[in-house]
Amino acid sequence: MPCHGVSTRWGHPRFCWKQALERTSGAPGLGLPWMVLSLALVLVLLDPMVLWVPARAHPLPAQDHPTRFHGIVPRLRDAFGWRNLTCPVCKGLFTAINFGLKKEPNVARVGSVAIKLCKMLNIAPPTVCQSAVQLFENDMVEVWTRSVLSPSEACGLLLGSTCGRWDIFSSWNISLPAVPKPPPKPPSPPAPGAPVSRVLFLTDLHWDHDYLEGTDPNCADPLCCRRGSGLPPTSQPGAGYWGEYSKCDLPLRTLESLLSGLGPAGPFDMVYWTGDIPAHDVWQQSRQDQLRALTTITDLVRKFLGPVPVYPAVGNHESTPVNGFPPPFIEGNQSSRWLYEAMAKAWEPWLPAEALNTLRIGGFYALSPRPGLRLISLNMNFCSRENFWLLINSTDPAGQLQWLVGELQAAEDQGDKVHIIGHIPPGHCLKSWSWNYYRIVARYENTLAGQFFGHTHVDEFEVFYDEETLSRPLAVAFLAPSATTYISLNPGYRVYLIDGNYTGSSHVVLDHETYILNLTQANAPGAKPQWQLLYKARETYGLPNALPAAWHNLVYRMRDDMRLFQTFWFLYHKGHPPSEPCGAPCRLATLCAQLSARADSPALCRHLVPNGSLPGGQTLWPRPLFC
């Protein structure tokens, strides 16, 4: 029976919502409150902003857990009449939640209520709500029942710091060896004629096996241009053959075109591949889907690159549910063993036995691709704000950072240089993980020759500074643009020019080149895809070299030179920037992000704008999050 009265997006009569839930939940007494409150947290921790709302390829407000929770709580209060919810009552309810879930962790009941909340709050289309909750419910209930979230912490998150403290992601520190840090020694420029290595960098391929030309690129679902998206209005064009400027991923033929057309950009000495293989249809993925994507794209890379060694890293989309990467102490069916074992099998031709061993345990590894160079592939999902398994324990998951310290110390002892590859950039990580990583980079600045990440889908970088003054640039992490078009971008890839394979090489980045497929040209009638050089970094930005100080100086040059910034903004979006202009707040937030390899650290941008303040009371922080 329908409810009578207003029917706006948030305006359904609250008594109808509450009565409907009571009728269908079958939860007597404390059943409804603990179920509804627990599912409120579940819906937030599913991260609707990341899962269901299309990302924009320019800075957005940070979507950490407290921010998202405060966004959804007012709607829940309106819906269920919680305006008078007090701190003592809240703590009593969450005590009941913990007791109820431990006594009866009924996944089906939890999922049923979550689906209703998702639909009523218009978090996603009804079919997406249904599929997503059913996909996530088992893992989310397991995390909730095993987490250390106390009633005080939960109510602090819900009602504010006066009621309790949200410190489930509290600070922690890794241990550094007692070996004194050597004096900083910037690398010397290579001698004229010294060998230069070309390293192909692939990231965020996002193959959509359901991509279908002619379908609606602006459908209601989180991912379009696919079977089930329907046809566009008669006045609007459908999805292009090679891809589309919308919330769409890539057909296999575009990835085949990319890999088969690499000739002019090569030859390559090796390939760094930092993950995100499956599409963004995260509400309906199965393990079989993820493994099909892994094996299909791995076989495709091997087919076109032949004997060139490929070194992969794990992306956040490889698992299902998305972002779900439990630490190794989670065993059984909910562990990540199914994924890591498949990766080890698929990548065995590229990785030595020792690397495969740690890959199987935690999704990370180290190896020596050539004399004097050590490559470390990190599983950045263990730093991710969206990895809900870290609610159980976020302190150095899998011991990965402590392992990294051991690898860097061994490299320093042997006089080797190190490259680090990973998917999520360190500036986008949970604060304690990010600050520990920053500290490690500062300690081993002489050893660490390069850092390479993806994830944001756009073309940017992050500068690291000395910890004492935060003024001396000592390292830079390069964030390469995506292969996928998601969202409204040209497909692209990156080539790094590295100080080459010879005795005494610094192995630092000397320059980089970015290549794109112009979709407007490629989708024209009768056209063939032509992958083209978009730009060379040093030439385009007038850099004396590609060392950290040059990128630091570029940011301040862009602050004072609007034309230079507009060039960066165009290239940042792979030649297809958004139609709306990037005004002063957007420009300064974008520049701040380039200086911010450490999460939640406003001091890093203090020189861009005094006190980090912008016109109208806006701030440069929280840090933008893109994907």
Side-chain angles (χ1 to χ4, degrees):
M1 180 177 178
C3 293
H4 298 287
V6 291
S7 183
T8 61
R9 184 176 183 184
W10 308 121
H12 297 282
R14 69 181 63 166
F15 71 88
C16 286
W17 286 18
K18 184 175 179 181
Q19 289 169 358
L21 277 170
E22 288 174 340
R23 285 196 302 269
T24 55
S25 69
L30 286 176
L32 179 66
W34 74 254
M35 190 74 75
V36 171
L37 281 169
S38 63
L39 262 299
L41 272 180
V42 168
L43 285 173
V44 172
L45 296 175
L46 284 178
D47 195 4
M49 290 299 294
V50 171
L51 296 186
W52 300 322
V53 177
R56 299 290 297 279
H58 50 83
L60 293 172
Q63 298 298 332
D64 58 10
H65 294 299
T67 302
R68 291 197 304 272
F69 202 65
H70 291 309
I72 199 173
V73 161
R75 289 180 250 161
L76 292 167
R77 284 180 167 181
D78 286 341
F80 299 104
W82 293 346
R83 287 291 173 189
N84 297 320
L85 183 64
T86 64
C87 186
V89 171
C90 178
K91 290 180 179 179
L93 287 174
F94 272 95
T95 299
I97 289 175
N98 289 340
F99 176 78
L101 279 174
K102 289 176 181 177
K103 183 178 180 181
E104 183 195 3
N106 190 314
V107 174
R109 286 176 60 201
V110 171
S112 176
V113 177
I115 291 169
K116 290 178 175 63
L117 281 174
C118 180
K119 292 178 180 178
M120 288 189 296
L121 298 179
N122 281 353
I123 291 174
T127 56
V128 175
C129 286
Q130 180 90 20
S131 299
V133 169
Q134 290 175 349
L135 180 60
F136 279 80
E137 60 187 5
N138 284 297
D139 284 3
M140 293 305 304
V141 169
E142 177 71 13
V143 169
W144 178 255
T145 56
R146 296 182 63 153
S147 76
V148 294
L149 189 68
S150 69
S152 177
E153 290 170 327
C155 293
L157 182 60
L158 179 63
L159 298 178
S161 59
T162 57
C163 188
R165 183 181 177 189
W166 166 263
D167 61 358
I168 197 167
F169 296 128
S170 56
S171 298
W172 49 271
N173 289 306
I174 50 87
S175 299
L176 292 175
V179 181
K181 176 183 175 179
K185 184 180 179 182
S188 301
V196 175
S197 296
R198 295 181 68 83
V199 177
L200 173 64
F201 191 89
L202 301 172
T203 191
D204 297 276
L205 274 62
H206 289 294
W207 165 48
D208 186 358
H209 57 81
D210 281 338
Y211 187 97
L212 185 61
E213 178 190 8
T215 53
D216 188 359
N218 298 301
C219 68
D221 287 343
L223 184 66
C224 299
C225 302
R226 59 203 320 263
R227 294 178 179 86
S229 297
L231 297 175
T234 54
S235 60
Q236 300 294 325
Y241 184 79
W242 295 104
E244 188 56 56
Y245 295 127
S246 190
K247 50 179 181 177
C248 306
D249 282 321
L250 292 180
L252 192 64
R253 56 180 167 267
T254 306
L255 296 175
E256 289 177 324
S257 172
L258 185 160
L259 293 168
S260 65
L262 289 170
F268 307 113
D269 295 88
M270 51 189 173
V271 180
Y272 294 165
W273 176 20
T274 60
D276 268 16
I277 303 170
H280 286 85
D281 57 333
V282 298
W283 67 95
Q284 59 182 16
Q285 292 170 338
S286 67
R287 289 183 177 182
Q288 183 179 0
D289 294 330
Q290 308 306 83
L291 297 181
R292 173 176 59 175
L294 170 67
T295 56
T296 299
I297 302 304
T298 298
D299 289 345
L300 200 67
V301 170
R302 187 175 294 112
K303 172 184 175 182
F304 287 105
L305 286 163
V308 180
V310 179
Y311 304 115
V314 182
N316 65 300
H317 277 264
E318 266 71 277
S319 185
T320 185
V322 67
N323 300 313
F325 287 84
F329 66 78
I330 300 295
E331 299 177 345
N333 188 53
Q334 287 179 308
S335 77
S336 291
R337 182 171 294 276
W338 66 274
L339 178 61
Y340 298 151
E341 287 288 349
M343 288 176 169
K345 182 178 179 181
W347 300 340
E348 187 174 13
W350 296 325
L351 304 180
E354 185 177 353
L356 292 170
N357 288 338
T358 55
L359 175 65
R360 288 187 173 98
I361 295 170
F364 51 87
Y365 63 86
L367 53 80
S368 294
R370 57 180 53 167
L373 177 64
R374 188 171 302 206
L375 173 68
I376 298 175
S377 176
L378 295 179
N379 185 348
M380 299 298 287
N381 295 292
F382 290 143
C383 82
S384 172
R385 303 170 189 230
E386 317 310 331
N387 185 359
F388 46 85
W389 286 98
L390 300 187
L391 286 168
I392 300 174
N393 187 350
S394 65
T395 302
D396 194 11
Q400 182 178 220
L401 282 185
Q402 203 64 61
W403 169 85
L404 172 63
V405 169
E407 290 290 328
L408 289 170
Q409 185 61 54
E412 179 181 279
D413 293 343
Q414 296 173 20
D416 290 346
K417 300 300 181 182
V418 172
H419 286 175
I420 292 177
I421 62 172
H423 183 68
I424 300 172
H428 288 72
C429 293
L430 288 166
K431 181 176 179 178
S432 284
W433 201 103
S434 178
W435 284 49
N436 275 289
Y437 181 84
Y438 205 90
R439 180 173 161 229
I440 293 168
V441 170
R443 165 60 183 83
Y444 293 100
E445 63 173 294
N446 289 349
T447 297
L448 192 53
Q451 302 175 71
F452 309 91
F453 300 92
H455 184 61
T456 70
H457 293 198
V458 289
D459 186 345
E460 49 183 338
F461 54 91
E462 293 179 349
V463 181
F464 294 73
Y465 297 89
D466 67 291
E467 288 196 291
E468 292 75 20
T469 67
L470 292 179
S471 62
R472 179 177 64 87
L474 55 81
V476 61
F478 295 99
L479 282 53
S482 62
T484 186
T485 55
Y486 192 92
I487 290 175
S488 296
L489 299 167
N490 284 310
Y493 66 90
R494 166 70 53 81
V495 177
Y496 290 102
L497 282 68
I498 308 287
D499 194 7
N501 187 16
Y502 62 92
T503 302
S505 171
S506 68
H507 298 286
V508 298
V509 174
L510 304 175
D511 202 354
H512 65 66
E513 303 169 352
T514 299
Y515 294 78
I516 64 162
L517 175 66
N518 185 308
L519 280 182
T520 302
Q521 298 173 0
N523 285 330
K528 294 183 179 180
Q530 299 292 329
W531 294 83
Q532 57 192 269
L533 174 66
L534 179 64
Y535 79 105
K536 297 181 179 181
R538 288 185 58 187
E539 176 183 79
T540 299
Y541 294 129
L543 303 177
N545 50 52
L547 298 177
W551 296 99
H552 165 90
N553 292 334
L554 174 62
V555 172
Y556 287 91
R557 287 165 53 208
M558 291 192 290
R559 181 193 63 179
D560 301 327
D561 185 339
M562 179 60 73
R563 180 173 294 183
L564 181 62
F565 175 78
Q566 290 302 331
T567 297
F568 176 79
W569 187 244
F570 178 80
L571 300 174
Y572 178 93
H573 294 93
K574 290 182 287 180
H576 193 258
S579 57
E580 62 268 27
C582 182
C586 164
R587 178 164 60 94
L588 290 170
T590 302
L591 294 178
C592 176
Q594 313 312 302
L595 301 179
S596 306
R598 191 169 75 177
D600 303 324
S601 182
L604 294 170
C605 296
R606 67 185 186 276
H607 297 303
L608 278 177
V609 178
N611 302 320
S613 299
L614 295 172
Q618 300 178 72
T619 64
L620 294 179
W621 290 87
R623 178 188 166 80
L625 181 64
F626 301 90
C627 178

